[in-house]
Amino acid sequence: MQAYYKDLAEKALGVFSRLGADFADVRLVELKGLRIEIADGKIKELKFMDEKGLALRCLIAGGWGFTSTSILTLDEIEKSCMQAYKLAKSASEKAKEKLEVKCKPSKSSSELKPLEPPSNMGVEEKLKICSDMEKEMKKLSDKVKSTSTIYLELTESAYIVNSLGLQSEYAIPALLVSATAYASEAGIIQRGYERHGGTGGLEILKKQSPIEVAKKAAEEAIELLTAKGPPAGKYTCILDPELAGVFIHEAFGHACEADLVLLGGSILEGMIGKRVGSPKVTVKDDPSIKELFGYLPIDSEGISGGGTILVENGILKSYLHNLETSSKMGSQPTGNARAQGYGHIPLVRMTNTFIDKGEWKVEELFEDLKKGIYAKGSSYGYVDPAKGEFVFKCSKLYIVENGEPKQLCRDAALSGHTLDVLMNTEAVASDLSFGPGLCGKEDQLVRVTTGAPHIKVRDVVVGGMA
């Protein structure tokens, strides 16, 4: 980040100081990247991203004011600071309680450099990656009727200062490819989806090739055409790492976000130190794992996150915090304040959230299962973190008989209560793996990773879902 723009950020902080804000922070953000989407042979999107702006926030007697600007001149910044200050003054008149934000003065810096920068490859070659993925899906079978592929590269850089003496900066490159295939036969339509990504550059595509990603998506769609309808009832279920990871992110992780807890929107309110799962369950959120898509060594408030144990051997140990929630709840910030670009305020968000590995071998989970279910992948679902209720549609579901996955079923859904699943977890395997994704909250999208090993859960409700 150029020194000129850093100087503007610090001058903006000085404006807030002169105005008399109780607390202020200024975040300078630069986003550079490329997004390509091809659908059925046609370019649906070819979008370059190159933007820079300031996020300006201040606190007065419990009321926040926030503005942002991409016009990086001192006059415009002073106007934006004044606007944020006025908004905070207005908000303070309606604030129900005073707020004193606390954090230690510190300096931190982190830059992740790609081994192979995406700039080494031209746009035409990146378009060809998407086109070749589409061709691969179509050539597998004439049953594949519709396809789409996405290539995304993004480098996010930020410089953050606040009135308590914090100064932080980071630069993180990330890359993701995904493929979607729709197969059709005899009036039945099925979808296959696969993605691969992480932090870094083109070297990510060597860990799993785009062609391999495309093949998996198409093969899944084709395979599901011959699947049967799902059974209904309560079963002991084995969840694969993808489905278990999505469950722990969506159904449990959001309930750990302290802003939802404070708003009364979480089943975990008042549960710190209490049992929320079986002794076999440990859940973590760790932004410091470099190769994962949710890597975020420094959050959008400049706080370094070294990882948070949310659940340890079934006991709830912590929520996820930003500066405001940690100050209100007498806790430490966990490095989980995240904002999409410079135009949004930081919210409490997950990073790399996962069920930690256990001691079981995967085959041991199946051995004594005479009649049960093996559920793989997740298509979509519904979660209510306030009530702890969820419904997830599986990508695939197998009926297990005498320890062996047998009949493949399609359009199956798992439902129930979040804490029941955790309490009824009988075994956790050692094959921890991760998947990249984008998580939405209040119209903001951020990079995240979900993760888990295979887990075995009794009394899961299984049914059909169109």
Side-chain angles (χ1 to χ4, degrees):
M1 198 78 75
Q2 296 177 24
Y4 168 77
Y5 295 110
K6 291 182 181 180
D7 184 58
L8 284 178
E10 288 164 8
K11 286 180 178 177
L13 195 63
V15 174
F16 282 131
S17 178
R18 291 195 302 272
L19 289 171
D22 297 337
F23 169 83
D25 60 9
V26 177
R27 178 166 38 97
L28 172 65
V29 180
E30 183 177 61
L31 299 173
K32 291 187 176 182
L34 171 68
R35 187 182 190 277
I36 298 171
E37 182 175 0
I38 292 182
D40 295 324
K42 296 180 180 179
I43 298 175
K44 189 174 179 180
E45 183 174 51
L46 177 57
K47 179 183 178 182
F48 288 94
M49 291 164 273
D50 189 356
E51 57 186 62
K52 188 189 281 99
L54 277 174
L56 306 157
R57 185 174 67 155
C58 68
L59 176 69
I60 300 172
W64 288 101
F66 174 83
T67 58
S68 63
T69 181
S70 60
I71 304 174
L72 301 181
T73 64
L74 190 55
D75 284 347
E76 184 62 32
I77 290 168
E78 286 180 346
K79 289 178 185 176
S80 295
C81 287
M82 179 58 74
Q83 185 181 17
Y85 179 81
K86 289 178 178 177
L87 290 170
K89 285 284 282 185
S90 178
S92 69
E93 296 172 2
K94 298 179 181 179
K96 295 180 180 179
E97 57 182 317
K98 305 298 180 185
L99 173 63
E100 182 183 357
V101 170
K102 299 177 182 179
C103 78
K104 296 177 181 178
S106 63
K107 284 191 176 183
S108 56
S109 178
S110 178
E111 181 180 6
L112 180 64
K113 294 185 178 180
L115 298 178
E116 294 184 42
S119 57
N120 289 355
M121 181 183 288
V123 176
E124 289 298 326
E125 291 177 273
K126 294 166 185 174
L127 280 165
K128 189 174 185 300
I129 287 174
C130 288
S131 295
D132 288 348
M133 290 171 71
E134 273 217 314
K135 290 174 184 175
E136 180 67 26
M137 289 188 282
K138 289 282 179 66
K139 82 176 186 181
L140 282 177
S141 171
D142 58 7
K143 296 174 185 177
V144 177
K145 305 299 184 182
S146 180
T147 58
S148 65
T149 58
I150 291 173
Y151 170 93
L152 173 67
E153 64 183 53
L154 180 67
T155 297
E156 178 183 353
S157 305
Y159 177 72
I160 303 154
V161 289
N162 76 21
S163 57
L164 298 177
L166 178 144
Q167 183 186 88
S168 300
E169 61 182 314
Y170 65 81
I172 304 171
L175 190 146
L176 177 79
V177 292
S178 69
T180 305
Y182 287 92
S184 176
E185 185 179 46
I188 297 170
I189 300 174
Q190 290 295 309
R191 173 182 179 268
Y193 175 76
E194 186 68 23
R195 67 197 182 284
H196 171 64
T199 51
L202 297 173
E203 68 273 10
I204 293 167
L205 302 182
K206 294 180 178 178
K207 296 177 182 178
Q208 184 178 11
S209 74
I211 292 298
E212 189 178 349
V213 172
K215 281 185 69 175
K216 286 183 177 179
E219 286 169 353
E220 179 177 288
I222 295 165
E223 183 184 17
L224 286 169
L225 289 175
T226 57
K228 303 297 183 182
K234 278 189 178 182
Y235 293 88
T236 293
C237 288
I238 295 170
L239 311 186
D240 83 328
E242 181 182 343
L243 180 54
V246 170
F247 165 80
I248 209 64
H249 172 100
E250 295 289 354
F252 187 79
H254 281 296
C256 290
E257 293 168 346
D259 53 352
L260 287 182
V261 175
L262 287 168
L263 288 170
S266 169
I267 53 167
L268 300 178
E269 182 179 355
M271 294 289 286
I272 297 293
K274 297 182 180 179
R275 181 164 296 282
V276 295
S278 86
K280 298 177 176 64
V281 175
T282 293
V283 182
K284 298 178 180 178
D285 182 274
D286 192 346
S288 68
I289 306 174
K290 281 188 177 181
E291 67 272 16
L292 297 185
F293 199 58
Y295 172 63
L296 191 75
I298 299 166
D299 73 6
S300 296
E301 292 178 328
I303 303 297
S304 299
T308 303
I309 297 175
L310 298 172
V311 177
E312 186 173 36
N313 300 326
I315 305 299
L316 185 67
K317 292 292 186 178
S318 179
Y319 302 126
L320 299 175
H321 288 286
N322 62 8
L323 287 176
E324 178 178 357
T325 63
S326 62
S327 298
K328 285 182 175 180
M329 301 179 80
S331 302
Q332 294 297 315
T334 57
N336 288 90
R338 306 188 64 183
Q340 180 184 339
Y342 63 85
H344 295 88
I345 60 171
L347 304 172
V348 182
R349 308 296 301 273
M350 286 171 276
T351 57
N352 304 308
T353 312
F354 56 96
I355 300 173
D356 206 3
K357 62 183 178 181
E359 298 179 350
W360 294 62
K361 295 179 181 179
V362 176
E363 54 267 28
E364 291 176 332
L365 272 61
F366 286 87
E367 282 177 357
D368 61 349
L369 188 57
K370 295 187 181 299
K371 181 76 172 181
I373 295 297
Y374 179 32
K376 300 185 68 176
S378 174
S379 297
Y380 60 86
Y382 160 82
V383 173
D384 186 338
K387 295 180 180 178
E389 297 172 349
F390 70 88
V391 178
F392 287 117
K393 182 179 178 183
C394 313
S395 299
K396 298 179 183 178
L397 186 144
Y398 293 88
I399 296 173
V400 178
E401 296 177 355
N402 298 318
E404 294 290 334
K406 299 288 187 181
Q407 177 64 55
L408 173 63
C409 302
R410 61 171 178 256
D411 302 328
L414 308 184
S415 61
H417 193 278
T418 301
L419 299 189
D420 287 345
V421 171
L422 296 182
M423 293 294 285
N424 293 339
T425 298
E426 297 181 336
V428 178
S430 59
D431 63 329
L432 173 61
S433 64
F434 300 94
L438 296 170
C439 176
K441 181 177 177 179
E442 295 185 23
D443 297 322
Q444 295 192 47
L445 285 175
V446 295
R447 295 175 288 106
V448 298
T449 302
T450 61
H454 280 79
I455 67 172
K456 186 177 183 179
V457 186
R458 67 178 181 272
D459 294 335
V460 178
V461 177
V462 178
M465 189 175 186

